[in-house]
Amino acid sequence: EFLEIFFKLFSSGFYDLKGYFIKNLTILFINYSSVSFKYIKQMIYVTKKNLKNKNSLIRKASAELIIGIVDKLDNYQTKHYIYQITFILNENLNEEDPLTLSIIILGIIKALRISEMVFLGTSGRIIIPKLIPILKNKDAGVQKNTMILLGYLADKMGVFLSPKEWLRISFSLLDIFRSEYKNVRRNAVNTFGIIAKVIGPQVLRLLF
Protein backbone atom coordinates (compact mmCIF):
# COMPACT_ATOMS: atom_id res chain seq x y z
CA GLU A 1 0.00 0.00 0.00
CA PHE A 2 2.86 2.36 0.83
CA LEU A 3 4.42 1.76 -2.59
CA GLU A 4 1.13 2.47 -4.33
CA ILE A 5 0.86 5.79 -2.50
CA PHE A 6 4.43 6.65 -3.52
CA PHE A 7 3.80 5.98 -7.20
CA LYS A 8 0.46 7.76 -7.16
CA LEU A 9 2.16 10.82 -5.66
CA PHE A 10 4.71 10.84 -8.47
CA SER A 11 2.02 10.33 -11.11
CA SER A 12 0.22 13.38 -9.73
CA GLY A 13 3.34 15.47 -10.46
CA PHE A 14 4.76 15.68 -6.92
CA TYR A 15 8.49 16.29 -6.42
CA ASP A 16 10.79 18.07 -3.97
CA LEU A 17 13.27 20.74 -5.01
CA LYS A 18 16.31 18.59 -4.18
CA GLY A 19 15.11 15.62 -6.24
CA TYR A 20 15.22 13.21 -3.27
CA PHE A 21 11.69 11.97 -3.86
CA ILE A 22 12.47 10.96 -7.46
CA LYS A 23 15.77 9.35 -6.38
CA ASN A 24 13.93 7.21 -3.83
CA LEU A 25 11.27 6.41 -6.40
CA THR A 26 13.99 5.09 -8.74
CA ILE A 27 15.18 2.71 -6.00
CA LEU A 28 11.60 1.54 -5.39
CA PHE A 29 10.97 1.05 -9.11
CA ILE A 30 14.06 -1.10 -9.53
CA ASN A 31 13.39 -3.24 -6.46
CA TYR A 32 9.59 -3.54 -6.70
CA SER A 33 8.96 -3.61 -10.45
CA SER A 34 5.92 -5.91 -10.10
CA VAL A 35 4.09 -3.03 -8.40
CA SER A 36 5.68 -0.12 -10.26
CA PHE A 37 4.90 -1.42 -13.77
CA LYS A 38 1.25 -0.62 -13.16
CA TYR A 39 2.30 3.05 -13.22
CA ILE A 40 4.90 2.96 -15.98
CA LYS A 41 2.81 4.93 -18.50
CA GLN A 42 2.22 7.74 -16.00
CA MET A 43 5.85 7.62 -14.90
CA ILE A 44 7.13 8.05 -18.45
CA TYR A 45 4.66 10.91 -19.03
CA VAL A 46 5.59 12.75 -15.81
CA THR A 47 9.31 12.15 -16.37
CA LYS A 48 9.01 13.70 -19.83
CA LYS A 49 7.65 16.87 -18.20
CA ASN A 50 10.24 16.82 -15.40
CA LEU A 51 13.11 16.71 -17.91
CA LYS A 52 12.00 20.22 -18.95
CA ASN A 53 11.93 21.48 -15.34
CA LYS A 54 13.95 24.64 -14.64
CA ASN A 55 15.54 22.94 -11.63
CA SER A 56 18.64 21.01 -12.76
CA LEU A 57 18.41 18.65 -9.75
CA ILE A 58 14.92 17.59 -10.84
CA ARG A 59 16.10 17.04 -14.41
CA LYS A 60 19.07 14.97 -13.21
CA ALA A 61 16.93 12.83 -10.88
CA SER A 62 14.39 12.32 -13.68
CA ALA A 63 17.10 11.20 -16.10
CA GLU A 64 18.31 8.70 -13.49
CA LEU A 65 14.74 7.42 -13.14
CA ILE A 66 14.60 6.88 -16.90
CA ILE A 67 17.78 4.77 -16.63
CA GLY A 68 16.12 2.73 -13.89
CA ILE A 69 13.06 2.17 -16.07
CA VAL A 70 15.14 1.20 -19.12
CA ASP A 71 17.10 -1.36 -17.11
CA LYS A 72 13.83 -3.18 -16.39
CA LEU A 73 12.51 -3.13 -19.97
CA ASP A 74 14.19 -6.33 -21.03
CA ASN A 75 11.34 -8.52 -22.21
CA TYR A 76 9.09 -8.47 -25.27
CA GLN A 77 6.04 -7.25 -23.29
CA THR A 78 7.72 -4.02 -22.26
CA LYS A 79 9.95 -3.21 -25.24
CA HIS A 80 7.32 -1.01 -26.85
CA TYR A 81 8.05 1.56 -24.11
CA ILE A 82 11.63 1.78 -25.39
CA TYR A 83 10.50 3.80 -28.42
CA GLN A 84 8.77 6.37 -26.20
CA ILE A 85 11.77 6.67 -23.90
CA THR A 86 14.30 6.98 -26.74
CA PHE A 87 12.19 9.69 -28.34
CA ILE A 88 11.98 11.59 -25.02
CA LEU A 89 15.73 11.33 -24.43
CA ASN A 90 16.46 12.41 -28.01
CA GLU A 91 14.32 15.50 -27.42
CA ASN A 92 16.51 16.42 -24.46
CA LEU A 93 19.95 16.16 -26.07
CA ASN A 94 20.10 19.95 -25.76
CA GLU A 95 20.35 19.61 -21.96
CA GLU A 96 22.70 22.24 -20.49
CA ASP A 97 23.74 20.46 -17.29
CA PRO A 98 26.68 18.11 -18.10
CA LEU A 99 25.78 15.50 -15.46
CA THR A 100 22.20 15.27 -16.69
CA LEU A 101 23.28 15.26 -20.35
CA SER A 102 25.69 12.40 -19.67
CA ILE A 103 22.86 10.37 -18.10
CA ILE A 104 20.54 11.14 -21.03
CA ILE A 105 23.12 9.89 -23.55
CA LEU A 106 23.69 6.77 -21.44
CA GLY A 107 19.92 6.20 -21.46
CA ILE A 108 19.88 6.27 -25.27
CA ILE A 109 22.76 3.78 -25.38
CA LYS A 110 20.95 1.40 -23.03
CA ALA A 111 17.65 1.76 -24.92
CA LEU A 112 19.22 1.08 -28.31
CA ARG A 113 21.10 -1.95 -27.02
CA ILE A 114 17.90 -3.47 -25.67
CA SER A 115 15.96 -3.09 -28.89
CA GLU A 116 17.54 -2.17 -32.21
CA MET A 117 13.99 -1.92 -33.59
CA VAL A 118 13.99 1.58 -32.09
CA PHE A 119 15.79 2.68 -35.25
CA LEU A 120 12.49 2.30 -37.10
CA GLY A 121 11.01 5.08 -34.95
CA THR A 122 13.87 7.25 -33.75
CA SER A 123 16.36 7.08 -36.59
CA GLY A 124 20.06 7.39 -35.92
CA ARG A 125 20.03 9.95 -38.71
CA ILE A 126 18.06 12.19 -36.34
CA ILE A 127 20.22 11.49 -33.29
CA ILE A 128 23.67 11.82 -34.91
CA PRO A 129 23.39 15.50 -36.00
CA LYS A 130 22.48 16.37 -32.42
CA LEU A 131 25.60 14.62 -31.13
CA ILE A 132 28.04 16.64 -33.26
CA PRO A 133 27.73 19.90 -31.24
CA ILE A 134 27.88 17.84 -28.02
CA LEU A 135 31.40 16.74 -29.02
CA LYS A 136 32.55 20.25 -28.03
CA ASN A 137 31.38 19.66 -24.45
CA LYS A 138 34.46 19.34 -22.21
CA ASP A 139 32.80 17.20 -19.53
CA ALA A 140 34.48 13.78 -19.35
CA GLY A 141 31.23 11.87 -18.79
CA VAL A 142 29.52 13.59 -21.69
CA GLN A 143 32.48 12.98 -24.02
CA LYS A 144 32.80 9.33 -23.03
CA ASN A 145 29.11 8.50 -23.50
CA THR A 146 28.92 10.47 -26.75
CA MET A 147 31.85 8.47 -28.12
CA ILE A 148 30.20 5.19 -27.13
CA LEU A 149 26.88 6.20 -28.70
CA LEU A 150 28.49 7.42 -31.92
CA GLY A 151 30.47 4.20 -32.19
CA TYR A 152 27.33 2.13 -31.65
CA LEU A 153 25.39 4.09 -34.28
CA ALA A 154 28.26 3.86 -36.76
CA ASP A 155 28.45 0.10 -36.27
CA LYS A 156 24.72 -0.53 -36.59
CA MET A 157 23.69 1.97 -39.26
CA GLY A 158 26.88 3.42 -40.72
CA VAL A 159 25.86 2.61 -44.29
CA PHE A 160 22.76 4.80 -43.98
CA LEU A 161 24.86 7.96 -43.64
CA SER A 162 26.96 9.34 -46.48
CA PRO A 163 30.78 9.10 -46.29
CA LYS A 164 30.84 12.91 -46.39
CA GLU A 165 28.74 13.07 -43.21
CA TRP A 166 30.94 10.52 -41.42
CA LEU A 167 34.02 12.47 -42.54
CA ARG A 168 32.57 15.60 -40.95
CA ILE A 169 31.98 13.66 -37.73
CA SER A 170 35.52 12.24 -37.84
CA PHE A 171 36.90 15.76 -38.15
CA SER A 172 35.01 16.68 -34.97
CA LEU A 173 36.62 13.71 -33.20
CA LEU A 174 40.15 15.04 -33.70
CA ASP A 175 39.90 17.38 -30.70
CA ILE A 176 38.67 14.52 -28.51
CA PHE A 177 41.95 12.67 -29.16
CA ARG A 178 43.68 15.38 -27.11
CA SER A 179 41.39 14.88 -24.10
CA GLU A 180 43.16 14.68 -20.75
CA TYR A 181 41.02 11.65 -19.84
CA LYS A 182 42.36 8.29 -20.95
CA ASN A 183 38.97 6.54 -21.16
CA VAL A 184 37.64 9.36 -23.37
CA ARG A 185 40.62 9.06 -25.74
CA ARG A 186 40.24 5.28 -25.83
CA ASN A 187 36.55 5.49 -26.75
CA ALA A 188 37.34 8.12 -29.38
CA VAL A 189 39.91 5.80 -30.98
CA ASN A 190 37.40 2.92 -30.95
CA THR A 191 34.72 5.08 -32.57
CA PHE A 192 37.20 6.36 -35.16
CA GLY A 193 38.08 2.75 -36.01
CA ILE A 194 34.42 1.82 -36.50
CA ILE A 195 33.88 4.81 -38.79
CA ALA A 196 37.00 3.84 -40.76
CA LYS A 197 35.49 0.41 -41.41
CA VAL A 198 32.26 2.03 -42.63
CA ILE A 199 33.67 4.60 -45.06
CA GLY A 200 37.11 3.15 -45.76
CA PRO A 201 40.55 4.40 -44.67
CA GLN A 202 41.12 6.05 -48.05
CA VAL A 203 38.33 8.54 -47.27
CA LEU A 204 39.72 9.23 -43.81
CA ARG A 205 43.07 10.19 -45.35
CA LEU A 206 41.36 13.42 -46.41
CA LEU A 207 41.52 14.48 -42.76
CA PHE A 208 45.33 14.51 -42.73
Side-chain angles (χ1 to χ4, degrees):
E1 186 178 339
F2 171 74
L3 289 174
E4 299 241 355
I5 293 171
F6 217 81
F7 287 116
K8 283 179 180 177
L9 267 175
F10 178 76
S11 296
S12 71
F14 174 81
Y15 62 84
D16 65 282
L17 295 178
K18 296 290 186 181
Y20 296 137
F21 176 79
I22 300 175
K23 285 179 179 293
N24 287 321
L25 182 69
T26 303
I27 296 170
L28 290 173
F29 182 89
I30 292 170
N31 291 294
Y32 300 95
S33 56
S34 59
V35 176
S36 56
F37 268 124
K38 291 194 294 184
Y39 299 95
I40 191 167
K41 287 183 180 179
Q42 298 100 305
M43 291 175 72
I44 291 173
Y45 175 75
V46 176
T47 300
K48 179 180 179 180
K49 291 199 300 182
N50 284 345
L51 284 170
K52 299 294 185 184
N53 196 293
K54 292 181 179 180
N55 187 327
S56 63
L57 293 175
I58 299 302
R59 298 198 306 274
K60 180 176 177 290
S62 299
E64 289 171 343
L65 175 58
I66 281 284
I67 295 287
I69 292 174
V70 167
D71 283 339
K72 288 294 181 179
L73 300 181
D74 57 357
N75 62 67
Y76 72 94
Q77 287 139 327
T78 57
K79 280 187 178 179
H80 63 279
Y81 292 116
I82 288 289
Y83 166 72
Q84 297 176 45
I85 289 173
T86 308
F87 185 80
I88 291 167
L89 293 174
N90 180 50
E91 279 187 328
N92 288 277
L93 282 173
N94 59 347
E95 169 62 48
E96 295 178 356
D97 177 60
L99 287 176
T100 306
L101 178 58
S102 178
I103 297 168
I104 287 171
I105 297 169
L106 177 61
I108 294 175
I109 294 167
K110 284 176 173 283
L112 295 182
R113 282 177 174 168
I114 290 172
S115 177
E116 293 176 14
M117 294 300 288
V118 171
F119 287 123
L120 297 177
T122 306
S123 169
R125 279 176 284 188
I126 297 174
I127 296 175
I128 289 172
K130 292 186 177 183
L131 294 178
I132 295 174
I134 295 175
L135 292 173
K136 297 177 182 177
N137 194 302
K138 299 303 181 184
D139 180 81
V142 171
Q143 288 185 337
K144 176 187 173 183
N145 287 341
T146 303
M147 288 300 96
I148 294 171
L149 180 52
L150 268 176
Y152 185 86
L153 291 170
D155 182 50
K156 297 298 180 182
M157 57 154 294
V159 295
F160 296 103
L161 238 63
S162 69
K164 184 179 180 181
E165 188 67 18
W166 282 120
L167 191 62
R168 188 164 73 93
I169 292 167
S170 299
F171 186 79
S172 300
L173 292 181
L174 296 180
D175 282 341
I176 309 294
F177 291 148
R178 292 189 286 270
S179 171
E180 60 183 294
Y181 304 104
K182 185 177 180 180
N183 60 344
V184 172
R185 295 196 303 272
R186 183 172 60 247
N187 282 294
V189 170
N190 291 342
T191 298
F192 197 80
I194 294 170
I195 293 173
K197 288 180 182 178
V198 172
I199 64 176
Q202 69 279 359
V203 178
L204 284 179
R205 288 196 191 100
L206 297 173
L207 290 173
F208 306 101

